[in-house]
PDB file of all heavy atoms in Angstrom:
ATOM      1  N   ILE A 936      77.537  46.555  43.563  1.00 88.00           N
ATOM      2  CA  ILE A 936      76.239  46.471  42.886  1.00 88.00           C
ATOM      3  C   ILE A 936      75.151  47.140  43.723  1.00 88.00           C
ATOM      4  O   ILE A 936      74.302  47.871  43.206  1.00 88.00           O
ATOM      5  CB  ILE A 936      75.883  44.992  42.597  1.00 88.00           C
ATOM      6  CG1 ILE A 936      76.842  44.416  41.552  1.00 88.00           C
ATOM      7  CG2 ILE A 936      74.439  44.872  42.107  1.00 88.00           C
ATOM      8  CD1 ILE A 936      76.672  42.933  41.310  1.00 88.00           C
ATOM      9  N   SER A 937      75.198  46.922  45.038  1.00 88.00           N
ATOM     10  CA  SER A 937      74.211  47.538  45.931  1.00 88.00           C
ATOM     11  C   SER A 937      74.344  49.061  45.918  1.00 88.00           C
ATOM     12  O   SER A 937      73.341  49.788  45.925  1.00 88.00           O
ATOM     13  CB  SER A 937      74.387  47.013  47.360  1.00 88.00           C
ATOM     14  OG  SER A 937      74.165  45.621  47.418  1.00 88.00           O
ATOM     15  N   ALA A 938      75.582  49.557  45.879  1.00 87.00           N
ATOM     16  CA  ALA A 938      75.810  51.001  45.861  1.00 87.00           C
ATOM     17  C   ALA A 938      75.234  51.630  44.597  1.00 87.00           C
ATOM     18  O   ALA A 938      74.585  52.683  44.646  1.00 87.00           O
ATOM     19  CB  ALA A 938      77.305  51.297  45.961  1.00 87.00           C
ATOM     20  N   VAL A 939      75.466  50.987  43.469  1.00 88.00           N
ATOM     21  CA  VAL A 939      74.950  51.502  42.194  1.00 88.00           C
ATOM     22  C   VAL A 939      73.427  51.419  42.159  1.00 88.00           C
ATOM     23  O   VAL A 939      72.740  52.369  41.760  1.00 88.00           O
ATOM     24  CB  VAL A 939      75.567  50.736  41.013  1.00 88.00           C
ATOM     25  CG1 VAL A 939      74.906  51.159  39.693  1.00 88.00           C
ATOM     26  CG2 VAL A 939      77.074  50.962  40.944  1.00 88.00           C
ATOM     27  N   ALA A 940      72.886  50.278  42.616  1.00 90.00           N
ATOM     28  CA  ALA A 940      71.437  50.082  42.578  1.00 90.00           C
ATOM     29  C   ALA A 940      70.717  51.079  43.484  1.00 90.00           C
ATOM     30  O   ALA A 940      69.620  51.561  43.143  1.00 90.00           O
ATOM     31  CB  ALA A 940      71.110  48.649  42.991  1.00 90.00           C
ATOM     32  N   CYS A 941      71.316  51.388  44.627  1.00 91.00           N
ATOM     33  CA  CYS A 941      70.681  52.287  45.595  1.00 91.00           C
ATOM     34  C   CYS A 941      71.117  53.743  45.440  1.00 91.00           C
ATOM     35  O   CYS A 941      70.591  54.626  46.130  1.00 91.00           O
ATOM     36  CB  CYS A 941      70.992  51.828  47.022  1.00 91.00           C
ATOM     37  SG  CYS A 941      70.447  50.152  47.408  1.00 91.00           S
ATOM     38  N   GLY A 942      72.109  53.966  44.570  1.00 89.00           N
ATOM     39  CA  GLY A 942      72.635  55.319  44.437  1.00 89.00           C
ATOM     40  C   GLY A 942      73.312  55.798  45.704  1.00 89.00           C
ATOM     41  O   GLY A 942      73.276  56.990  46.034  1.00 89.00           O
ATOM     42  N   ASP A 943      73.947  54.868  46.432  1.00 89.00           N
ATOM     43  CA  ASP A 943      74.530  55.184  47.741  1.00 89.00           C
ATOM     44  C   ASP A 943      76.012  54.809  47.765  1.00 89.00           C
ATOM     45  O   ASP A 943      76.373  53.662  48.043  1.00 89.00           O
ATOM     46  CB  ASP A 943      73.781  54.418  48.828  1.00 89.00           C
ATOM     47  CG  ASP A 943      74.277  54.763  50.230  1.00 89.00           C
ATOM     48  OD1 ASP A 943      75.171  55.623  50.356  1.00 89.00           O
ATOM     49  OD2 ASP A 943      73.757  54.166  51.196  1.00 89.00           O
ATOM     50  N   PRO A 944      76.915  55.758  47.479  1.00 85.00           N
ATOM     51  CA  PRO A 944      78.349  55.437  47.456  1.00 85.00           C
ATOM     52  C   PRO A 944      78.923  55.052  48.816  1.00 85.00           C
ATOM     53  O   PRO A 944      80.014  54.493  48.889  1.00 85.00           O
ATOM     54  CB  PRO A 944      78.982  56.744  46.939  1.00 85.00           C
ATOM     55  CG  PRO A 944      77.989  57.812  47.230  1.00 85.00           C
ATOM     56  CD  PRO A 944      76.642  57.156  47.124  1.00 85.00           C
ATOM     57  N   SER A 945      78.207  55.322  49.907  1.00 85.00           N
ATOM     58  CA  SER A 945      78.716  54.958  51.237  1.00 85.00           C
ATOM     59  C   SER A 945      78.799  53.448  51.421  1.00 85.00           C
ATOM     60  O   SER A 945      79.484  52.965  52.329  1.00 85.00           O
ATOM     61  CB  SER A 945      77.822  55.555  52.328  1.00 85.00           C
ATOM     62  OG  SER A 945      76.542  54.933  52.348  1.00 85.00           O
ATOM     63  N   LEU A 946      78.128  52.680  50.552  1.00 86.00           N
ATOM     64  CA  LEU A 946      78.185  51.224  50.637  1.00 86.00           C
ATOM     65  C   LEU A 946      79.512  50.677  50.105  1.00 86.00           C
ATOM     66  O   LEU A 946      79.843  49.518  50.328  1.00 86.00           O
ATOM     67  CB  LEU A 946      77.019  50.606  49.856  1.00 86.00           C
ATOM     68  CG  LEU A 946      75.613  50.947  50.382  1.00 86.00           C
ATOM     69  CD1 LEU A 946      74.546  50.382  49.450  1.00 86.00           C
ATOM     70  CD2 LEU A 946      75.423  50.416  51.789  1.00 86.00           C
ATOM     71  N   ILE A 947      80.245  51.506  49.396  1.00 85.00           N
ATOM     72  CA  ILE A 947      81.555  51.105  48.867  1.00 85.00           C
ATOM     73  C   ILE A 947      82.608  51.340  49.951  1.00 85.00           C
ATOM     74  O   ILE A 947      82.773  52.454  50.446  1.00 85.00           O
ATOM     75  CB  ILE A 947      81.907  51.916  47.602  1.00 85.00           C
ATOM     76  CG1 ILE A 947      80.906  51.607  46.490  1.00 85.00           C
ATOM     77  CG2 ILE A 947      83.329  51.610  47.138  1.00 85.00           C
ATOM     78  CD1 ILE A 947      81.055  52.493  45.266  1.00 85.00           C
ATOM     79  N   ARG A 948      83.311  50.288  50.327  1.00 81.00           N
ATOM     80  CA  ARG A 948      84.284  50.380  51.422  1.00 81.00           C
ATOM     81  C   ARG A 948      85.661  50.829  50.946  1.00 81.00           C
ATOM     82  O   ARG A 948      86.556  51.060  51.768  1.00 81.00           O
ATOM     83  CB  ARG A 948      84.408  49.022  52.127  1.00 81.00           C
ATOM     84  CG  ARG A 948      83.118  48.587  52.789  1.00 81.00           C
ATOM     85  CD  ARG A 948      83.243  47.208  53.422  1.00 81.00           C
ATOM     86  NE  ARG A 948      81.996  46.833  54.073  1.00 81.00           N
ATOM     87  CZ  ARG A 948      81.684  47.135  55.318  1.00 81.00           C
ATOM     88  NH1 ARG A 948      82.550  47.803  56.052  1.00 81.00           N
ATOM     89  NH2 ARG A 948      80.535  46.767  55.834  1.00 81.00           N
ATOM     90  N   SER A 949      85.858  50.906  49.645  1.00 83.00           N
ATOM     91  CA  SER A 949      87.169  51.285  49.099  1.00 83.00           C
ATOM     92  C   SER A 949      86.965  52.312  47.991  1.00 83.00           C
ATOM     93  O   SER A 949      87.255  52.061  46.833  1.00 83.00           O
ATOM     94  CB  SER A 949      87.909  50.058  48.567  1.00 83.00           C
ATOM     95  OG  SER A 949      87.054  49.315  47.686  1.00 83.00           O
TER      96      SER A 949
END
Side-chain angles (χ1 to χ4, degrees):
I936 292 174
S937 298
V939 173
C941 301
D943 184 2
S945 69
L946 297 175
I947 296 172
R948 297 177 179 272
S949 51

